[in-house]
Amino acid sequence: MQGPSDFELSRRKILLGTAASVAFGVAPRIADAQTPAVPVQAGAAPAISMSKVSFSVNGKPREIALDTRTTLLDALREHLHLTGSKKGCDHGQCGACTVIVGGRRINSCLTLAVMHEGDEIKTIEGLGTPENLHPMQAAFVKHDGYQCGYCTPGQICSAVAVLDEIKAGIPSHVSADLNAPAQLTNAELRERMSGNICRCGAYSNIAEAITEVAGRQA
Amino acid sequence: MKSFTYERARNPAEAAASVLRKPDAKFIAGGTNLLDLMKLEIETPAHLIDVNGLALDKIEPTAEGGLRIGALVRNTDLAADSRVRRDYAVLSRALLAGASGQLRNKATTAGNLLQRTRCPYFYDTNQPCNKRRPGSGCAAIGGFSRQHAVVGGSEACIATHPSDMAVGMRALDATVETVRPDGATRAIPIAEFHHLPGSTPHVETALSPGELITAVTLPKPVGGTHIYRKVRDRASYAFALVSVAAIVQRDGTGRVALGGVAHKPWRIESADSQLPRGAKAVMAELLSGARPTRENAFKLSLAERTLGAVLTEAKG
């Protein structure tokens, strides 16, 4: 019997292969659109509107022509093959797709790629590398700030931006005094990170990781 | 998602004219609600007009001593503005009680006013909904209605307006400024901006076709203690079951608006005058005529108790 290693299969390759064959069987022309599983109805020609967009991703200029429906998340993952940003809910509820655009964290699933002409986008791939981790990545490893890891890129991008938001004096729902400098308390970090859901429940360790980096920065 | 064409508008009048020219066109700014609804094909615009380049992103003082907030000011920036924090804290607090950090970074002032209800039957395209498909019926009436409106609803719709920001703005007597495709501008008091459902729950605001919000203005600061208290099923990142926006003066007078209870931010000026008599007296007036369902009748006592807590907090 041959093990998977004989074929050098990865989970990602298997998933990609499956998705591609499904798309091929149904609607090959919209394989890059957001909802490849929706069949194109017979007789109704799929009128696809394309648009060009240029932005910088992790410091590199990129220019792509896209179906206007493509979200920033799908552009990053499916067109630029930066698969660190994850698609969780695809409705802005889970935060797995969080990236940093113009210094601000956003849900990349809830924004169209074509709306980011000229923007500077930073993804988890731009924060650090396996050899040279960003301090937040290193702290997540040290504090075990994950279990399955699916939400982790979004958690880390969000956490990096949260510390910048506190530094910029942006208040939160739990800030006792709106007019005082924002504090770096556990309650503040938890409130500010509430847009990132972790179904494994690693929240305590995530908060510890952020606290360590915040302490180091202060 | 249905296919659509896309353009970037260069000025407000051009954007308003363009939306009239194209059938089924819509403006897009932050897009956090519109894009979500487009994925579900609840919104199916054939053309999107990106208004992000319209330079409506400033917060400026008005000649009357108030503030003019550009339509494109992001929720994060509005909540963090030092003048808003100091003089209109109820608005800062309302904004910070809503959504998540990521969403507030994208969501705009105008888009927040225009967001659609989170009624689950509006979202479920297999269900009848008079908002989504006028005349199809309302599945929320007789359905799961814990989140729904207790006051101001109709036989056609019991959805709530989900915004926190708008509740703060209602307490502050904000005004919505717009431009129409012919270039004419007008100012709509926020009390008249959102409609009650009546027999046309799909008509949600006073905007006419192609009309574009350019700004929201706040009158001169009124002082007092500003409190926004939101009660929800979890501590953060959830819509309100009930929220209270209150401005309370030292003599006990003030203003109260409620969120989570109606199709629009809920304030009745005559109920404000009951404030010195306490929460029960205010609610007797503010929620008179309430018609809750069995599942959401708790909102009546929850609103009264929340206001009670707010008034205690205001006394310090």
Side-chain angles (χ1 to χ4, degrees):
Chain A
M1 246 189 96
Q2 290 175 311
S5 58
D6 296 327
F7 293 103
E8 291 187 320
L9 284 180
S10 72
R11 183 177 61 160
R12 175 156 178 78
K13 279 177 186 156
I14 293 172
L15 289 172
L16 274 179
T18 312
S21 58
V22 168
F24 184 73
V26 181
R29 302 217 21 214
I30 58 161
D32 281 336
Q34 280 211 300
T35 49
V38 176
V40 174
Q41 281 173 8
I48 292 174
S49 172
M50 302 290 288
S51 195
K52 262 192 198 157
V53 65
S54 324
F55 43 56
S56 120
V57 182
N58 301 327
K60 269 195 221 152
R62 302 283 200 156
E63 186 177 342
I64 32 179
L66 296 165
D67 183 324
T68 51
R69 290 171 288 186
T70 313
T71 60
L72 178 58
L73 175 62
D74 283 342
L76 292 169
R77 288 181 55 85
E78 309 299 333
H79 294 262
L80 301 176
H81 309 294
L82 293 167
T83 53
S85 309
K86 296 292 185 270
K87 185 181 282 192
C89 68
D90 207 25
H91 288 280
Q93 297 171 1
C94 76
C97 67
T98 302
V99 300
I100 301 171
V101 176
R104 294 235 169 146
R105 57 184 170 144
I106 64 166
N107 299 112
S108 63
C109 77
L110 277 192
T111 189
L112 295 168
V114 293
M115 293 174 73
H116 290 279
E117 181 66 30
D119 281 353
E120 288 188 10
I121 298 153
K122 187 167 262 191
T123 69
I124 189 73
E125 290 92 343
L127 280 181
T129 62
E131 297 74 36
N132 185 21
L133 295 178
H134 183 281
M136 193 64 78
Q137 291 172 315
F140 267 64
V141 172
K142 179 180 164 191
H143 291 277
D144 215 5
Y146 45 78
Q147 199 176 112
C148 80
Y150 196 81
C151 72
T152 312
Q155 297 276 2
I156 290 176
C157 285
S158 199
V160 167
V162 159
L163 295 187
D164 287 341
E165 287 166 16
I166 291 176
K167 217 180 284 172
I170 294 169
S172 88
H173 175 61
V174 299
S175 305
D177 182 353
L178 276 183
N179 297 300
Q183 306 289 307
L184 262 168
T185 62
N186 192 269
E188 280 281 1
L189 294 178
R190 284 172 177 270
E191 161 60 25
R192 290 169 191 268
M193 290 294 292
S194 71
N196 291 83
I197 309 295
C198 169
R199 295 210 65 179
C200 302
Y203 297 113
S204 300
N205 297 357
I206 291 170
E208 278 172 26
I210 304 173
T211 304
E212 178 174 309
V213 177
R216 220 188 271 154
Q217 280 186 349
Chain B
M1 199 187 312
K2 300 272 194 227
S3 191
F4 55 85
T5 49
Y6 169 84
E7 75 171 277
R8 296 183 188 105
R10 285 167 301 185
N11 63 65
E14 180 191 286
S18 179
V19 81
L20 263 200
R21 259 198 319 274
K22 308 252 182 174
D24 304 323
K26 270 201 175 288
F27 300 123
I28 188 164
T32 54
N33 189 211
L34 179 57
L35 198 50
D36 189 27
L37 294 170
M38 284 167 63
K39 288 181 183 186
L40 300 166
E41 299 193 355
I42 293 165
E43 296 273 16
T44 54
H47 183 66
L48 281 184
I49 300 162
D50 184 342
V51 294
N52 284 292
L54 297 189
L56 299 171
D57 55 356
K58 309 264 184 317
I59 306 175
E60 297 161 322
T62 64
E64 294 77 34
L67 278 185
R68 186 168 190 275
I69 303 156
L72 294 169
V73 172
R74 308 290 151 171
N75 288 178
T76 297
D77 297 312
L78 184 54
D81 184 89
S82 60
R83 295 158 292 186
V84 177
R85 287 201 247 177
R86 187 187 63 219
D87 297 329
Y88 307 97
V90 69
L91 177 56
S92 234
R93 287 289 184 194
L95 283 158
L96 295 171
S100 66
Q102 289 96 317
L103 290 168
R104 290 192 297 270
N105 280 342
K106 212 69 188 95
T108 63
T109 305
N112 191 315
L113 287 175
L114 293 176
Q115 64 179 308
R116 313 289 307 271
T117 184
R118 290 336 191 262
C119 172
Y121 300 102
F122 171 71
Y123 268 76
D124 183 350
T125 51
N126 293 311
Q127 299 280 347
C129 171
N130 288 322
K131 248 184 207 308
R132 186 165 27 75
R133 213 154 14 101
S136 62
C138 173
I141 297 173
F144 293 102
S145 55
R146 184 170 176 271
Q147 294 277 352
H148 290 74
V150 292
V151 68
S154 71
E155 297 304 319
C157 181
I158 55 168
T160 56
H161 194 266
S163 173
D164 292 293
M165 181 197 82
V167 182
M169 286 181 171
R170 181 68 183 89
L172 290 165
D173 283 331
T175 303
V176 183
E177 294 185 356
T178 69
V179 60
R180 289 193 253 201
D182 62 1
T185 59
R186 64 170 173 153
I188 308 165
I190 192 150
E192 293 160 28
F193 183 78
H194 293 105
H195 286 184
L196 285 178
S199 58
T200 54
H202 59 291
V203 183
E204 294 174 346
T205 69
L207 295 180
S208 55
E211 193 168 4
L212 177 72
I213 299 175
T214 52
V216 172
T217 54
L218 303 177
K220 215 169 72 176
V222 294
T225 301
H226 290 221
I227 297 172
Y228 189 79
R229 186 130 172 181
K230 181 175 180 180
V231 184
R232 44 187 161 175
D233 283 331
R234 53 186 188 207
S236 183
Y237 199 19
F239 291 99
L241 289 167
V242 163
S243 69
V244 171
I247 301 173
V248 186
Q249 306 294 344
R250 276 204 187 147
D251 61 3
T253 63
R255 307 161 172 202
V256 181
L258 301 180
V261 298
H263 201 254
K264 59 190 280 186
W266 195 250
R267 179 173 168 212
I268 297 174
E269 275 72 358
S270 62
D272 289 351
S273 63
Q274 299 295 323
L275 264 173
R277 290 187 198 86
K280 201 178 174 68
V282 171
M283 288 303 163
E285 185 124 2
L286 190 53
L287 294 176
S288 73
R291 288 174 57 202
T293 66
R294 203 165 12 151
E295 290 182 0
N296 68 16
F298 73 94
K299 286 191 178 186
L300 301 181
S301 47
L302 183 60
E304 186 181 316
R305 288 172 194 168
T306 306
L307 179 61
V310 163
L311 295 180
T312 303
E313 186 185 334
K315 276 182 201 146

